[in-house]
Amino acid sequence: MNPDLKIVPYKSSELLIGSIPIGGENPVRIQSMTNSDTLDTGASVAQCIRIIEAGADYVRLTAQGVKEAENLSIIKNELRKAGFNTPLIADIHFNPLAAETAARLVEKVRINPGNYADKRASFAKQEFTEIEYNEELERIHSKLLPLIDISRSNKTVIRVGINHGSLSDRIMTRYGNTPAGMVHSAMEFIRIFRAENFNNLVLSMKSSDTAVMIESTRMLAVMMQSEGFSYPLHLGVTEAGEGEDGRVRSAAGIGALLSEGIGDTIRVSLSEDPEKEIPVAKKIAACYPRGTSVSKPEKPVNFKTPTSKPEIFKRINGPLVIANLTSIHEIGAEGYKTAGFNVNEKSVEITKTDSSADLIIARSIPEIIPKDVSLILPYKIWFENREHEKIYPLFSPETYHERTYQSDKLNVLLTGSHFNIEYLKKPDPATTLVIFTFYPEKEKYAADLFLNALEENNLSLNIILNPAFRENVIEDLQIKAASVIGKYVIDKRVSGISVTNTGDIDLKEVTALSFSILQCTATRITRTIFLSCPTCGRTKFNLQESVKKVKAATGHLKGLKIAVMGCIVNGPGEMAGADYGYVGAADGKVHIYRGTIPVLKNIPENEAAEELLKLIEKDQISL
């Protein structure tokens, strides 16, 4: 993240999308997008109804051509006849005429500055003199004038939707494929609209990388405010995926911004049926309801993890994961399984995996301490058994001061929202971790207050963030924990995490969730990263089944980033950071990419996952 970026309270202006207002003091609005063929009226209407009945405020449909845009009128009429007045949004790429057609028919049109007036990015440098660059902006201005006039006449809202993966070559050459490039792309279009006195705008900054999505949105909010305007903001993490990853990645990115009072409408992009996105989006929005951010500290959190760390970090590339197993009376084989360790059923040998907790908090010393296990124990028990390697003492900050004997390798202090800063001035970050426990349902900004207090007192400590929940449904825990923790690990404020849950969820799932949060925020990679789009009417194959096939074929390949994309509109750009891509090309056909280069074209869908694996294996042999 940009350390010089000043995050200030963002108050968006209000505008009407159809009959439903957005921005200002209105609730965060929820939306989804159909994946039916927009020319198939029956299927599109039925899917719109399912999305609306799930609780959406708006529904978006793709309009890749004029015919699809024209059919939006028929879809809208059928919905109105069925008693549904939900505003509709047209999603446009590459086709200004389709946008102009749709703007006469629906309540909102989304355009992408990266391809509205520019050609598809080739990721090639496109150098311009200052005069040539300004001439390009004039060309774009002229191209936008018809859409502006039509939208003004029809009171149509326009979303200027920036995608990290589809910036123009012109922007990337000057600003890079970066958050700054995204913001400058947005501001160019905003200034054109404002020059024409058109202000019915919504902005979005989307990326499959949560850090890029968060930073670019923060930057845009600051830049808009500096120029005296504050349009509503649409939030979303593109290609979030499906299952746990999709929920965690979306909650981490969207929740971080909602916690700061940024965001007026959200879309959760899951590779699942569109109506399934709505309950997830509602749960994310409920973590930080409109108005919640007024209780956050005025001072932004600037605390950073110290460079001085205990030696355990030498073995770990990223934040620590700590499992709290104090609810287990005596840790045995099942307890170690709970902490993510592998237990051989025959030999009962216990071995570490990539998803094993780095430290386990236990209430008593087990009979067996496997060689790969590190335990945190109450001080008295540790003191009596300190001849054991890889066991470390647990203190309160007060008792840490009282004890004359401490570990020379690692001491763990447990504190919470009622901390006394004076007791945190003695610990050495090279031999100390501080676990900060708080209860997000009651004290959403306790961690902010704690980290600010450390910074104000010039204290450099390695903090383990430990939000405590009482959830009985794993999806609820995934969303709440990721929404709370995401920004702290992405912004490098904490040195590790430990999720506590006292509800009826298996502790093994709680440990796994901590690793998922780090995986989906790209702060610690322990398995293959899968990105997959939510599909839309442009998708020409069964994306949900393809995601399952690709995961089954390549899930064992640790550390790779593999993208499964429905079409070539955003696919090649959004997967620009991926090692390999599986991208829809035509009906039942797939292009397979190595990086941004399509190396296998028009592979039949039923063979594509196998061909992708063959390509990866061939590449790995040649390394």
Side-chain angles (χ1 to χ4, degrees):
M1 306 305 291
N2 182 353
D4 300 320
L5 183 63
K6 184 181 179 183
I7 303 166
V8 295
Y10 185 81
K11 181 67 178 292
S12 61
S13 53
E14 180 179 290
L15 58 83
L16 272 176
I17 300 176
S19 60
I20 298 180
I22 184 177
E25 300 299 329
N26 292 290
V28 173
R29 302 301 187 185
I30 308 300
Q31 59 180 279
S32 182
M33 183 174 179
T34 62
N35 59 20
S36 55
D37 183 343
T38 310
L39 292 175
D40 186 337
T41 302
S44 296
V45 169
Q47 199 167 82
C48 285
I49 290 172
R50 290 196 297 273
I51 292 169
I52 295 165
E53 289 182 336
D57 297 299
Y58 312 119
V59 179
R60 183 157 43 117
L61 303 94
T62 187
Q64 55 269 61
V66 173
K67 286 184 178 179
E68 287 84 357
E70 290 173 339
N71 204 52
L72 292 174
S73 177
I74 299 173
I75 292 169
K76 182 177 178 179
N77 288 337
E78 290 298 309
L79 286 169
R80 300 298 180 258
K81 283 194 291 184
F84 297 96
N85 294 310
T86 303
L88 300 184
I89 304 166
D91 192 76
I92 309 294
H93 291 277
F94 298 109
N95 198 328
L97 191 55
E100 293 158 17
T101 303
R104 296 184 175 94
L105 305 173
V106 295
E107 289 81 0
K108 182 179 173 186
V109 172
R110 179 276 172 111
I111 61 171
N112 183 346
N115 57 40
Y116 191 81
D118 290 310
K119 296 178 181 178
R120 186 189 311 279
S122 63
F123 300 92
K125 280 194 174 292
Q126 199 176 60
E127 300 288 355
F128 290 97
T129 65
E130 201 63 31
I131 292 173
E132 290 170 335
Y133 197 93
N134 289 329
E135 286 174 348
E136 284 295 297
L137 291 180
E138 285 301 318
R139 180 181 65 83
I140 293 168
H141 193 144
S142 298
K143 199 96 170 179
L144 280 168
L145 282 174
L147 177 64
I148 291 171
D149 290 339
I150 293 166
S151 297
R152 195 193 318 274
S153 298
N154 290 273
K155 297 182 179 178
T156 306
V157 173
I158 295 175
R159 169 157 72 97
V160 178
I162 313 297
N163 276 36
H164 182 217
S166 56
L167 296 176
S168 67
D169 286 332
R170 175 179 59 83
I171 286 287
M172 286 193 285
T173 298
R174 178 163 286 203
Y175 301 104
N177 191 18
T178 63
M182 295 171 69
V183 173
H184 282 284
S185 179
M187 293 301 295
E188 286 181 354
F189 268 58
I190 290 172
R191 290 179 184 123
I192 291 170
F193 282 108
R194 287 180 68 82
E196 298 300 324
N197 198 29
F198 184 91
N199 289 294
N200 272 4
L201 297 176
V202 175
L203 277 294
S204 66
M205 313 294 281
K206 290 195 171 186
S207 174
S208 57
D209 185 317
T210 52
V212 170
M213 173 261 191
I214 292 168
E215 183 172 2
S216 59
T217 306
R218 286 172 173 166
M219 287 176 67
L220 178 65
V222 171
M223 191 170 287
M224 284 200 294
Q225 285 181 316
S226 72
E227 298 199 15
F229 44 88
S230 52
Y231 298 113
L233 290 165
H234 169 125
L235 306 182
V237 178
T238 59
E239 285 75 52
E242 48 91 52
E244 181 179 62
D245 280 359
R247 285 153 178 77
V248 168
R249 190 174 281 117
S250 296
I254 296 170
L257 292 166
L258 290 179
S259 75
E260 296 166 5
I262 297 173
D264 301 285
T265 180
I266 63 177
R267 190 266 172 109
V268 173
S269 299
L270 300 178
S271 301
E272 301 174 21
D273 294 336
E275 61 268 26
K276 291 184 179 179
E277 297 179 349
I278 302 302
V280 178
K282 283 186 166 186
K283 289 177 181 180
I284 295 173
C287 291
Y288 295 99
R290 176 72 80 206
T292 300
S293 63
V294 298
S295 63
K296 74 181 180 69
E298 288 186 14
K299 180 187 174 185
V301 176
N302 292 313
F303 179 87
K304 291 287 187 181
T305 59
T307 54
S308 179
K309 296 183 183 296
E311 67 173 26
I312 190 171
F313 283 91
K314 294 177 182 178
R315 308 192 296 271
I316 295 157
N317 185 21
L320 296 175
V321 170
I322 297 180
N324 186 344
L325 302 191
T326 53
S327 61
I328 300 174
H329 182 70
E330 187 171 335
I331 299 176
E334 289 304 312
Y336 289 121
K337 277 186 186 179
T338 294
F341 287 83
N342 183 59
V343 179
N344 186 296
E345 297 298 332
K346 292 182 179 180
S347 66
V348 199
E349 182 185 7
I350 296 164
T351 53
K352 189 175 178 64
T353 71
D354 290 328
S355 299
S356 299
D358 305 302
L359 290 162
I360 297 172
I361 305 176
R363 62 190 295 182
S364 60
I365 190 161
E367 288 186 15
I368 301 171
I369 304 178
K371 64 177 181 178
D372 293 324
V373 171
S374 297
L375 295 175
I376 302 169
L377 296 164
Y379 177 82
K380 184 179 179 181
I381 296 174
W382 167 80
F383 187 78
E384 293 170 351
N385 298 275
R386 62 187 183 279
E387 71 280 359
H388 284 277
E389 289 189 14
K390 294 190 178 178
I391 67 169
Y392 308 105
L394 180 66
F395 301 87
S396 69
E398 293 81 358
T399 56
Y400 179 80
H401 279 257
E402 295 167 3
R403 304 298 182 188
T404 55
Y405 198 96
Q406 297 151 353
S407 171
D408 59 357
K409 292 183 178 178
L410 178 64
N411 300 281
V412 182
L413 280 62
L414 183 63
T415 191
S417 55
H418 299 295
F419 64 91
N420 184 333
I421 199 70
E422 293 302 315
Y423 289 112
L424 294 170
K425 292 181 177 179
K426 180 182 176 183
D428 178 357
T431 57
T432 309
L433 296 175
V434 178
I435 299 177
F436 181 77
T437 300
F438 68 109
Y439 300 85
E441 294 291 344
K442 298 178 181 178
E443 43 189 11
K444 293 185 184 296
Y445 297 101
D448 294 54
L449 292 167
F450 179 65
L451 296 174
N452 278 346
L454 295 177
E455 185 190 13
E456 288 163 5
N457 285 271
N458 295 313
L459 298 180
S460 183
L461 292 168
N462 290 290
I463 306 303
I464 308 299
L465 199 63
N466 177 33
F469 303 92
R470 192 172 213 162
E471 302 298 328
N472 297 315
V473 178
I474 186 61
E475 180 182 87
D476 294 345
L477 182 63
Q478 291 164 352
I479 290 168
K480 290 182 178 181
S483 293
V484 169
I485 293 172
K487 66 178 180 180
Y488 299 104
V489 293
I490 290 169
D491 291 347
K492 295 180 172 57
R493 311 293 185 204
V494 296
S495 300
I497 61 174
S498 175
V499 177
T500 295
N501 186 66
T502 56
D504 188 22
I505 295 174
D506 192 314
L507 286 174
K508 187 173 184 179
E509 291 189 90
V510 178
T511 302
L513 174 57
S514 292
F515 281 99
S516 288
I517 291 170
L518 299 182
Q519 173 87 11
C520 292
T521 55
T523 52
R524 180 174 174 180
I525 306 304
T526 51
R527 49 186 166 84
T528 307
I529 299 173
F530 290 102
L531 303 175
S532 59
C533 71
T535 80
C536 66
R538 297 185 293 267
T539 303
K540 301 301 182 184
F541 65 96
N542 189 325
L543 189 131
Q544 291 181 36
E545 286 302 313
S546 292
V547 171
K548 291 176 183 176
K549 289 178 183 176
V550 170
K551 281 189 171 184
T554 63
H556 61 288
L557 301 169
K558 177 188 171 184
L560 289 178
K561 183 182 283 189
I562 298 174
V564 184
M565 301 293 169
C567 72
I568 57 173
V569 170
N570 282 328
E574 286 294 351
M575 54 167 251
D579 300 295
Y580 297 92
Y582 178 113
V583 181
D587 287 341
K589 300 290 185 180
V590 173
H591 287 352
I592 294 175
Y593 283 68
R594 180 192 293 119
T596 58
I597 308 299
V599 292
L600 299 173
K601 293 187 175 182
N602 294 313
I603 305 299
E605 180 189 350
N606 61 350
E607 301 173 13
E610 185 179 345
E611 291 301 316
L612 172 62
L613 178 60
K614 287 180 182 177
L615 174 65
I616 295 170
E617 289 176 337
K618 181 180 177 183
D619 286 351
Q620 290 183 335
I621 290 171
S622 64
L623 289 177

